[in-house]
Amino acid sequence: MSPSVPLQEMIRAIRSARTQCEERGVIQRECAAIRAQFRQADNGGRSHNLAKLLYVHMLGYPAHFGQMECVRMIASPRYSEKRVGYLGAMMLLDEKQDASLLITNSIKNDLSHSNQYVQSLALCTLACMGSAEMCRDLAPEIDRLLRASNSYIKKKAALCAVHIVRKVHELGELFAPAARTLLTEKNHGVLHGAVVLIIELCERNPETLERFRKTVPDLVQIMKGLVLSGYSPEHDVAGISDPFLQVRILRLLRILGHNNEGASDAMNDLLAQVATNTDSTKTVGNAVLYETVLTVLDIKSESGLRVLAVNILGRFLLNNDRNIRYIAMTSLQKIVGTDHNAVQRHRGTIVDCLKDQDASVKRRALELSLALVSATNVRSMMKELLIFLSSCPQELKSHAASGIFNAAERYAPSQRWHIDTILHVLTTAGGDVRDETVPNLIQLITNASELHCYTVHKLYRALLLDISTQSLVQVACWCIGEYGDLLLRGECQETEPVQVTEDDVLDALETVLQSHMSSPATRGFALTATMKLSTRITDNVDRIRSVVSIYGSCIDVELQQRAVEYNALFKKYDHMRAAVLERMPVIEKNSPGHTNGESMGEVKENQASKKPTEPKLLPQPANQVCDLLGLLGGSEETLQPSPSTALGLLTNTPSTAGGNLLDLLGDLEPEPLTPAPLVPVYDKDGVALTLSCEKQSDTAMTVTLIASNSTDSDISSFTLQAAVPKSVKLNMNAPSGDFLPARGAAKVTQMVVLNYQNKVNLKMKIRISYSSRGSTFQDTVQIDTFPGL
Amino acid sequence: MLLFSRQGKLRLQKWYTATAERDKKKMVRELMQIVLARKPKMCSFLEWRDLKIVYKRYASLYFCCAIEEQDNELITLEVIHRFVELLDKYFGSVCELDIIFNFEKAYFILDEFLMGGEIQDTSKKSVLKAIEQADLLQEEDESPRSVLEEMGLA
């Protein structure tokens, strides 16, 4: 075929442009010429011009002015113009353009054209960019073509039908009968198209699937013919007879045999035959084997066959070709849940693949290894995984770390091992672990009480080596703070004790405090740890005192707040210091995202609804701090609404003040905002009332009442009335509304200011009245204790 | 199906799903980046968004296909290989320049080989024959005109 000279000249001109700017210039000139020629009525070079435009389009330049030209050319009687016109339609038009509708008629005409190549152009274009509209219009035509006598057209019509079914699912019904008859064809192209069509129909419609189950014997016959027949030069690829068709049929068999005993039985023999007879030296053979394995694993095959399939996968794993190993692991991943033991047999190879150079293979191996960890092999697997972690690519690190943590949690043979593993992970990949790791680890450590000495020694050593990994440093600081006395005692059963003086320990903590690598949260940990040591060491309390007072003027608000509080602890409340800084109790394991205390859950739910009142709540915990430490009185100016970590100081157990104090200095997690506790005080008939308090001063308190409605009907005229003992003065602010929509869509908030002299006597009676579903309700509730007071 | 050179120049693109022009450009850029960054001996398969990418390098051109989750990657490699064989047979020892200067013919071959993302005919011979016939048809169409033009009568 003679090349298109004008096109080639243009391409040459564009390619010889040396700079982007030059190229743009050439293209603009060409585009202008093309546009001018499009406007001319009829000239011989129309197809060349459109081709030029398409080239320009491929380079990335705008070419939308060619759309109408495409439409015109498709309607032209000349084949060369049609060809380029259709190509242009496929490249420039898509279903979102309006112009695409204009070609529907042309396509319709061309579908009935006498020349099969014109028909094929139309079919191809429809299959490539046909919109749902076009598909609906032309579906009957396609169906007619499916029954035509020309196999060239039939195969194309089948694939076009596939596209139509993908676009408009309902039309599948239309093609089902024709598809059935196509299976009897001899022509491989038609067969292939028919199988693809049937796959598409069965995937979309379970009824069609049922109907096509009857074709299983026919399909098995066809496959047998392919596998056992002699050499057919036309369809042979490296010794396999028509692998493309084989793969397709296997896929269809898979769909038909899934969850169906009868169909699966019919295919068992065939699958076994294919699995054993197919030559696996070349990729083609492996492709067929792969499809066979997938089919075997997906249908209700007999166990012998399954074992055969897994063995094939095992063989794949040992193959030198990376691609084969990759897909073997992908397939094993699918069955590791069901055939766990079978996959375990190949654990060694899989673990070896962790060391492969290729990132895709590594990723697969990691997934599979994590799935294969079990109680029996956890120690050896973990060793391998930890080695992997130290050398794995960056994008896999956090996934690997969290996988290791999960596995360690489920199968840890001993606590010491568990702690060791986590420490190892933190030292190698500490930067990539999730935030919950720190509190989880701390909780684990407190639980392993015999290992406190061991743990603190290990962490101390780790801290000395490297203070850049924030999570590790945080845990280390916490432990040193808690168990520093064990460190200083200088004896340890589990590991080599380290001979340190108090100064050394304090040096280490100060380094963390002062290092620019430490994040604010880490420094918070370090400061608190230093403070805790004040009760655990004997000589250097003054040093601690000075450190704490230095940070009293730190720029970081969080540190400043803590330092000031600790300072106060030294000065005014020295008698309480020992009690406050006592050893932490064993923390209970909670679901992630919660700290101790049941009220947390409620707090979190109400958080969303309390957005407008949030700023108000922020000062409260700070005030609660001063409250708990027994009225720090004057130094309030530093107790500003500080960021999250301030509130992390508190947990919200409505427990005794003593418990709260310990948790205050526990620094469990630098956690997201935890507003003041909301206590439910009333809950009846779907109406719930919660209460939260905020101390404004020694004698004043603001109580916030929030009402919600979880019934299915709206509540109106909702009012609250409050009464207090004589010694207390009450001021009710206006409520936010008196209408409570159904199902908690909105809440009503009301604030009450109480002034009192003696908080012992503080009680409040609240009367609730509202109307719901046409009747009025009234109820009273007495509040004797106020949270946080 | 994407064809691009080692320098990141796109030589052919065929989309079998309806995608907006802007998204197409973005995806092409991303894919080119990812594939060109791969080292020679690495695995031919990648995961990208929710698709699987199968690519193979032939001389200076990368042939890259995106397939769905349930498709067979190995057979896709074979599909790519078959396409290259077709191009080779047609152009006679094809090289990148052939595809650059005759891109519309490369498209015609691709359209004869794949439709809607699926193989039309599993026999190399019949695909080549069909393309030959179509070309003849095109020539017949064009030649009367060029003869007349040569004679200066049109």
Side-chain angles (χ1 to χ4, degrees):
Chain A
M1 177 176 146
S2 52
S4 162
V5 175
L7 171 64
Q8 299 208 331
E9 275 177 10
M10 181 190 85
I11 296 179
R12 225 168 304 221
I14 294 177
R15 279 171 65 82
S16 61
R18 269 181 297 248
T19 64
Q20 186 78 316
C21 198
E22 240 184 274
E23 182 180 296
R24 263 199 297 265
V26 173
I27 289 186
Q28 266 172 4
R29 272 197 303 275
E30 288 287 342
C31 281
I34 293 171
R35 256 190 293 241
Q37 296 200 309
F38 280 170
R39 269 178 253 136
Q40 280 178 20
D42 181 33
N43 53 25
R46 270 167 72 184
S47 50
H48 301 304
N49 286 323
L50 190 55
K52 282 196 233 177
L53 185 61
L54 293 177
Y55 184 79
V56 165
H57 172 75
M58 192 162 70
L59 289 177
Y61 295 92
H64 39 267
F65 56 87
Q67 287 173 8
M68 287 315 293
E69 187 66 15
C70 288
V71 176
R72 252 176 272 139
M73 291 194 53
I74 289 174
S76 148
R78 293 172 55 182
Y79 181 73
S80 53
E81 295 188 351
K82 266 201 209 292
R83 215 180 187 193
V84 184
Y86 273 118
L87 181 63
M90 285 191 270
M91 283 177 79
L92 298 176
L93 297 173
D94 57 37
E95 54 187 41
K96 298 197 181 67
Q97 313 281 3
D98 298 325
S100 62
L101 290 173
L102 296 171
I103 63 175
T104 313
N105 214 23
S106 304
I107 295 183
K108 194 166 188 172
N109 291 337
D110 283 337
L111 281 176
S112 332
H113 203 274
S114 50
N115 188 320
Q116 65 178 10
Y117 296 105
V118 175
Q119 282 179 307
S120 98
L121 282 178
L123 283 167
C124 190
T125 309
L126 184 60
C128 179
M129 44 75 71
S131 64
E133 289 292 316
M134 293 163 72
C135 290
R136 275 203 199 91
D137 283 340
L138 298 169
E141 284 294 311
I142 306 295
D143 190 46
R144 192 176 55 80
L145 288 172
L146 273 177
R147 298 167 208 274
S149 57
N150 184 338
S151 46
Y152 179 77
I153 292 300
K154 266 195 279 206
K155 73 180 186 217
K156 291 190 189 253
L159 290 175
C160 195
V162 171
H163 175 86
I164 292 179
V165 172
R166 281 186 189 149
K167 277 281 176 209
V168 186
H169 304 329
E170 304 83 54
L171 288 172
E173 284 302 306
L174 178 64
F175 296 120
R180 182 80 184 74
T181 41
L182 283 177
L183 272 184
T184 53
E185 289 280 330
K186 291 276 172 273
N187 181 311
H188 283 222
V190 180
L191 265 179
H192 186 270
V195 174
V196 177
L197 180 57
I198 297 175
I199 290 178
E200 199 63 36
L201 292 172
C202 292
E203 274 178 350
R204 306 243 171 227
N205 190 336
E207 285 166 14
T208 325
L209 181 70
E210 286 299 321
R211 270 191 285 161
F212 274 105
R213 277 232 177 81
K214 301 189 207 89
T215 61
V216 170
D218 299 325
L219 291 166
V220 172
Q221 270 308 104
I222 300 174
M223 267 303 277
K224 274 213 174 88
L226 285 174
V227 175
L228 299 174
S229 71
Y231 178 70
S232 153
E234 200 173 317
H235 298 116
D236 180 273
V237 179
I240 312 275
S241 195
D242 207 343
F244 302 107
L245 185 58
Q246 286 194 29
V247 167
R248 282 290 165 197
I249 295 184
L250 284 167
R251 172 117 168 243
L252 180 56
L253 287 174
R254 180 155 91 231
I255 296 173
L256 293 175
H258 184 68
N259 269 336
N260 184 304
E261 289 282 344
S264 309
D265 283 336
M267 341 173 169
N268 268 326
D269 285 336
L270 170 70
L271 292 171
Q273 224 167 16
V274 175
T276 38
N277 283 351
T278 312
D279 174 27
S280 65
T281 46
K282 295 276 179 65
T283 313
V284 218
N286 285 326
V288 177
L289 279 174
Y290 177 44
E291 197 71 28
T292 317
V293 166
L294 287 178
T295 305
V296 167
L297 295 174
D298 207 34
I299 62 173
K300 292 203 177 310
S301 50
E302 53 187 29
S303 56
L305 200 51
R306 280 186 99 86
V307 170
L308 185 60
V310 178
N311 284 347
I312 294 180
L313 287 178
R315 256 195 355 246
F316 278 179
L317 270 181
L318 299 167
N319 194 311
N320 279 330
D321 187 345
R322 269 209 186 91
N323 294 337
I324 311 278
R325 270 184 290 175
Y326 178 88
I327 56 156
M329 285 195 280
T330 318
S331 323
L332 286 172
Q333 185 80 34
K334 291 193 189 120
I335 58 167
V336 77
T338 47
D339 295 84
H340 193 90
N341 293 331
V343 184
Q344 281 282 5
R345 249 178 277 138
H346 303 285
R347 190 161 48 89
T349 332
I350 295 170
V351 168
D352 280 333
C353 287
L354 277 174
K355 304 192 186 85
D356 196 300
Q357 301 284 1
D358 185 306
S360 307
V361 174
K362 271 195 168 117
R363 183 193 295 267
R364 285 273 147 252
L366 174 65
E367 295 273 359
L368 209 45
S369 308
L370 287 174
L372 284 177
V373 176
S374 74
T376 41
N377 60 24
V378 68
R379 277 189 201 264
S380 49
M381 285 297 279
M382 205 47 84
K383 231 187 306 196
E384 294 290 338
L385 286 169
L386 288 173
I387 297 175
F388 171 71
L389 189 65
S390 42
S391 62
C392 82
Q394 192 57 34
E395 61 269 10
L396 291 177
K397 263 207 168 114
S398 64
H399 184 71
S402 36
I404 291 178
F405 282 148
N406 283 337
E409 212 169 289
R410 268 189 294 163
Y411 301 112
S414 74
Q415 284 181 323
R416 173 172 162 172
W417 181 91
H418 194 172
I419 291 179
D420 277 342
T421 313
I422 299 189
L423 286 178
H424 195 137
V425 173
L426 284 178
T427 37
T428 38
D432 300 297
V433 298
R434 287 199 312 257
D435 292 329
E436 301 103 62
T437 319
V438 173
N440 281 340
L441 180 55
I442 290 179
Q443 185 257 319
L444 194 65
I445 293 175
T446 53
N447 268 326
S449 37
E450 332 70 68
L451 293 171
H452 286 166
C453 190
Y454 168 74
T455 319
V456 73
H457 274 92
K458 280 205 85 166
L459 284 168
Y460 179 70
R461 285 207 185 88
L463 191 65
L464 288 179
L465 283 173
D466 172 31
I467 58 169
S468 57
T469 320
Q470 297 307 303
S471 34
L472 183 63
V473 173
Q474 284 171 8
V475 178
C477 288
W478 190 90
C479 278
I480 293 176
E482 273 296 299
Y483 309 120
D485 49 334
L486 295 174
L487 191 62
L488 293 165
R489 215 181 297 159
E491 56 183 44
C492 181
Q493 293 153 326
E494 309 269 342
T495 181
E496 175 86 20
V498 52
Q499 304 299 336
V500 284
T501 64
E502 297 174 356
D503 271 319
D504 293 331
V505 177
L506 288 172
D507 279 338
L509 287 175
E510 261 197 72
T511 329
V512 173
L513 261 178
Q514 290 164 353
S515 162
H516 60 276
M517 287 193 280
S518 307
S519 72
T522 314
R523 292 163 97 193
F525 270 89
L527 188 58
T528 309
T530 315
M531 186 60 191
K532 282 196 217 173
L533 282 178
S534 70
T535 49
R536 290 167 180 53
I537 63 177
T538 44
D539 297 330
N540 283 345
V541 183
D542 285 330
R543 183 173 168 183
I544 296 183
R545 226 190 278 258
S546 60
V547 167
V548 164
S549 55
I550 290 174
Y551 279 89
S553 43
C554 174
I555 292 182
D556 185 322
V557 175
E558 167 62 24
L559 282 181
Q560 192 188 88
Q561 173 175 351
R562 290 186 192 209
V564 167
E565 287 164 10
Y566 298 155
N567 232 350
L569 200 57
F570 269 123
K571 297 210 180 72
K572 286 205 223 169
Y573 303 100
D574 211 33
H575 52 281
M576 287 175 75
R577 192 160 47 93
V580 167
L581 298 171
E582 231 175 37
R583 230 356 156 244
M584 287 277 313
V586 173
I587 307 167
E588 267 158 30
K589 188 71 192 231
N590 284 300
S591 48
H594 281 66
T595 51
N596 308 341
E598 56 286 337
S599 64
M600 275 303 293
E602 174 143 337
V603 163
K604 285 214 161 40
E605 279 156 30
N606 284 316
Q607 201 166 358
S609 63
K610 279 183 69 62
K611 278 287 171 354
T613 50
E614 220 162 46
K616 269 228 111 183
L617 288 176
L618 275 176
Q620 184 188 352
N623 290 334
Q624 279 195 317
V625 163
C626 72
D627 195 33
L628 291 168
L629 291 181
L631 307 171
L632 281 180
S635 51
E636 253 88 354
E637 56 270 24
T638 59
L639 301 176
Q640 297 132 13
S642 10
S644 49
T645 44
L647 301 171
L649 283 179
L650 302 179
T651 59
N652 293 303
T653 47
S655 62
T656 64
N660 264 348
L661 285 174
L662 285 181
D663 292 334
L664 159 72
L665 293 170
D667 281 339
L668 279 187
E669 47 237 89
E671 213 202 35
L673 218 54
T674 59
L678 284 173
V679 180
V681 295
Y682 175 82
D683 193 346
K684 214 162 89 172
D685 298 321
V687 176
L689 192 63
T690 61
L691 177 146
S692 83
C693 315
E694 208 181 302
K695 233 170 116 47
Q696 306 295 15
S697 72
D698 288 353
T699 56
M701 182 166 81
T702 310
V703 175
T704 313
L705 298 159
I706 304 171
S708 65
N709 168 20
S710 59
T711 63
D712 282 323
S713 46
D714 297 349
I715 284 178
S716 54
S717 319
F718 185 93
T719 42
L720 294 170
Q721 292 162 306
V724 285
K726 285 215 183 62
S727 55
V728 181
K729 257 203 302 196
L730 172 81
N731 258 326
M732 283 191 94
N733 295 345
S736 65
D738 70 339
F739 181 73
L740 279 173
R743 280 175 236 108
K747 298 193 198 296
V748 163
T749 314
Q750 183 155 24
M751 301 229 255
V752 178
V753 180
L754 299 171
N755 280 295
Y756 50 85
Q757 306 294 29
N758 179 3
K759 58 178 178 287
V760 171
N761 215 9
L762 199 58
K763 295 186 218 304
M764 190 158 80
K765 200 185 259 186
I766 298 185
R767 177 188 290 172
I768 304 166
S769 49
Y770 58 91
S771 8
S772 164
R773 279 184 271 221
S775 41
T776 46
F777 295 86
Q778 240 187 38
D779 210 340
T780 22
V781 63
Q782 172 132 343
I783 302 171
D784 293 324
T785 49
F786 290 82
L789 198 54
Chain B
M1 158 90 73
L2 295 175
L3 262 77
F4 49 89
S5 70
R6 281 199 46 77
Q7 284 77 38
K9 286 266 163 84
L10 190 63
R11 297 297 174 210
L12 190 148
Q13 59 174 329
K14 190 80 185 181
W15 296 81
Y16 293 106
T17 49
T19 334
E21 192 66 41
R22 211 181 39 230
D23 294 333
K24 278 188 199 173
K25 286 213 174 101
K26 199 160 138 228
M27 288 199 230
V28 168
R29 246 195 328 227
E30 264 184 57
L31 278 175
M32 285 213 277
Q33 231 181 353
I34 297 177
V35 172
L36 288 173
R38 304 274 285 178
K39 295 204 248 341
K41 283 268 190 279
M42 292 178 104
C43 188
S44 288
F45 312 128
L46 288 175
E47 278 145 47
W48 180 75
R49 300 202 185 174
D50 58 342
L51 298 168
K52 297 198 261 200
I53 307 293
V54 181
Y55 74 93
K56 194 142 189 241
R57 183 173 157 202
Y58 287 86
S60 59
L61 271 183
Y62 281 91
F63 286 70
C64 179
C65 279
I67 56 177
E68 288 179 334
E69 191 61 43
Q70 62 266 39
D71 290 330
N72 184 331
E73 296 98 321
L74 291 176
I75 210 77
T76 313
L77 275 178
E78 286 303 309
V79 168
I80 293 179
H81 191 71
R82 175 58 72 89
F83 182 47
V84 175
E85 281 177 345
L86 287 170
L87 288 171
D88 196 48
K89 250 315 177 30
Y90 184 84
F91 287 109
S93 213
V94 68
C95 64
E96 192 182 343
L97 282 178
D98 286 325
I99 301 189
I100 295 174
F101 280 97
N102 298 293
F103 77 98
E104 82 276 16
K105 296 194 202 93
Y107 271 105
F108 294 148
I109 297 174
L110 183 59
D111 285 336
E112 190 61 39
F113 176 51
L114 295 177
M115 191 196 280
E118 312 281 353
I119 287 194
Q120 293 179 39
D121 201 320
T122 50
S123 150
K124 228 186 330 185
K125 229 172 49 172
S126 60
V127 178
L128 286 169
K129 211 162 76 110
I131 299 177
E132 238 181 77
Q133 296 284 9
D135 283 347
L136 270 176
L137 193 57
Q138 184 158 347
E139 288 226 1
E140 279 169 20
D141 213 42
E142 285 180 342
S143 54
R145 172 146 297 236
S146 54
V147 166
L148 288 171
E149 274 173 4
E150 269 172 46
M151 296 200 297
L153 290 177

